[in-house]
């Protein structure tokens, strides 16, 4: 299992609460399609509600820009 001390800087709007959250953030850190990733996070039943809420808020903010 991978171990990370902090979320990737361009995903710092998400506060990981579990090792699973950190692992997922590490995998998507290099993606250019953040909105698709945020949408996928909303449907992942294994992630914390807090992470999903932060992803939803960031997706909304991205749509306003």
């Amino acid at each position: 299992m991978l171990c990370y001390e902090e979320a990737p800087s361009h995903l710092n709007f998400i506060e990981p609460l579990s090792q699973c959250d950190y692992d997922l953030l590490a995998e998507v850190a290099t993606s250019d399609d953040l909105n698709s990733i945020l949408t996928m996070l909303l449907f992942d039943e294994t992630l914390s509600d807090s992470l999903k809420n932060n992803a939803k808020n960031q997706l909304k903010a991205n749509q306003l820009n």
Side-chain angles (χ1 to χ4, degrees):
M1 177 172 271
L2 301 173
C3 184
Y4 297 94
E5 292 182 16
E6 59 184 56
S9 62
H10 66 285
L11 297 176
N12 64 2
F13 57 87
I14 299 173
E15 182 181 337
L17 299 177
S18 70
Q19 187 62 46
C20 182
D21 294 353
Y22 281 106
D23 292 346
L24 181 60
L25 286 174
E27 285 186 39
V28 301
T30 59
S31 176
D32 293 329
D33 196 5
L34 185 56
N35 286 345
S36 292
I37 292 168
L38 292 170
T39 301
M40 288 187 295
L41 290 176
L42 297 177
F43 294 105
D44 189 330
E45 294 178 7
T46 66
L47 300 179
S48 66
D49 288 339
S50 177
L51 178 64
K52 288 181 184 181
N53 287 334
N54 288 333
K56 184 177 180 179
N57 291 337
Q58 185 61 39
L59 187 57
K60 287 179 184 178
N62 291 353
Q63 292 173 347
L64 294 175
N65 293 329

